Amino acid sequence: LNKATVAAKNNPSLVIGQRTSNAISTLKNYALNSETNKTPKSASKRKTISVKELVDACKSLEFSTEVSKNCCQDLVNGESAGLLLHLIRTCDRSRDSQELLQHALVTLLNIARYDELALFVSQGDNSSIATVIDLLQMFRDKKAVFSVACELMCRIITADARAKVSGFANLSTFTILLIAYETFPFDL
């Protein structure tokens, strides 16, 4: 423990708060890049963020939200749930995207385990419910992504009355996916 304290004092980037801030900054830069890259003139002005950098940022956020409610609160206050949902919507079925999705979804799940913060996950942007349902459909054959997305959907619906209405509007799709999936690693 003493070694860790000395190392953190010598290198502030090892402190959980700083790691969280750096990860959020990476997500913000990615979101900004993906918006500005829609216009060809501004595409060359910004540094491209690699998938590895995004995975590392999501791993840091996953860790910090797992061990610290304050970090969960910081993500909510900084509207990072919306940034994570934006990132999730850009993923495809590639192996790298699946790894990125798992870390991003677990981060949202860590935040949603606190009832008072779960509302912010569902309200991270206007299409959070639709995003999670799309993931359930797109990754129904990929257990790792499907199970985390399913648990996140259940937590969101449990915490937010608006999400219940929106989620239940798509209940037939959700139910079909649940029935099609044989076993669940968690209790519904």
Side-chain angles (χ1 to χ4, degrees):
L1 187 59
N2 289 337
K3 283 184 180 182
T5 303
V6 170
K9 285 181 181 177
N10 291 335
N11 187 356
S13 66
L14 297 177
V15 178
I16 192 168
Q18 186 61 46
R19 289 176 59 187
T20 301
S21 294
N22 291 346
I24 291 170
S25 180
T26 299
L27 291 181
K28 284 181 179 178
N29 288 336
Y30 174 75
L32 186 61
N33 284 348
S34 64
E35 289 301 315
T36 58
N37 283 343
K38 292 179 183 175
T39 58
K41 291 179 184 176
S42 62
S44 62
K45 294 180 184 177
R46 301 220 179 262
K47 177 187 175 268
T48 303
I49 296 179
S50 70
V51 174
K52 183 188 180 328
E53 289 174 295
L54 289 170
V55 169
D56 289 344
C58 286
K59 282 180 179 179
S60 291
L61 292 175
E62 179 182 350
F63 173 76
S64 62
T65 56
E66 184 177 335
V67 299
S68 170
K69 184 176 181 180
N70 289 339
C71 287
C72 292
Q73 188 68 49
D74 288 347
L75 273 125
V76 166
N77 291 341
E79 300 179 4
S80 296
L83 292 172
L84 284 167
L85 288 163
H86 171 76
L87 174 66
I88 286 168
R89 281 191 293 277
T90 65
C91 291
D92 56 26
R93 289 178 52 90
S94 70
R95 192 171 291 153
D96 289 339
S97 285
Q98 287 181 49
E99 180 182 7
L100 187 58
L101 274 171
Q102 282 182 273
H103 295 296
L105 287 169
V106 171
T107 299
L108 291 173
L109 198 53
N110 288 340
I111 296 169
R113 74 180 169 199
Y114 301 104
D115 292 337
E116 68 274 14
L117 300 179
L119 294 173
F120 292 99
V121 173
S122 68
Q123 297 167 359
D125 65 11
N126 293 329
S127 60
S128 59
I129 305 298
T131 299
V132 177
I133 288 176
D134 287 347
L135 285 177
L136 289 168
Q137 292 173 343
M138 189 173 167
F139 292 96
R140 63 185 173 268
D141 61 332
K142 303 292 183 186
K143 186 175 184 174
V145 174
F146 181 90
S147 60
V148 177
C150 188
E151 187 171 0
L152 179 61
M153 184 68 179
C154 291
R155 286 195 186 171
I156 288 172
I157 287 175
T158 301
D160 186 356
R162 183 185 63 87
K164 287 179 187 172
V165 173
S166 178
F168 289 139
N170 294 305
L171 187 60
S172 60
T173 302
F174 189 58
T175 305
I176 289 167
L177 288 168
L178 288 175
I179 292 169
Y181 202 76
E182 296 175 345
T183 59
F184 295 97
F186 51 88
D187 295 324
L188 292 177

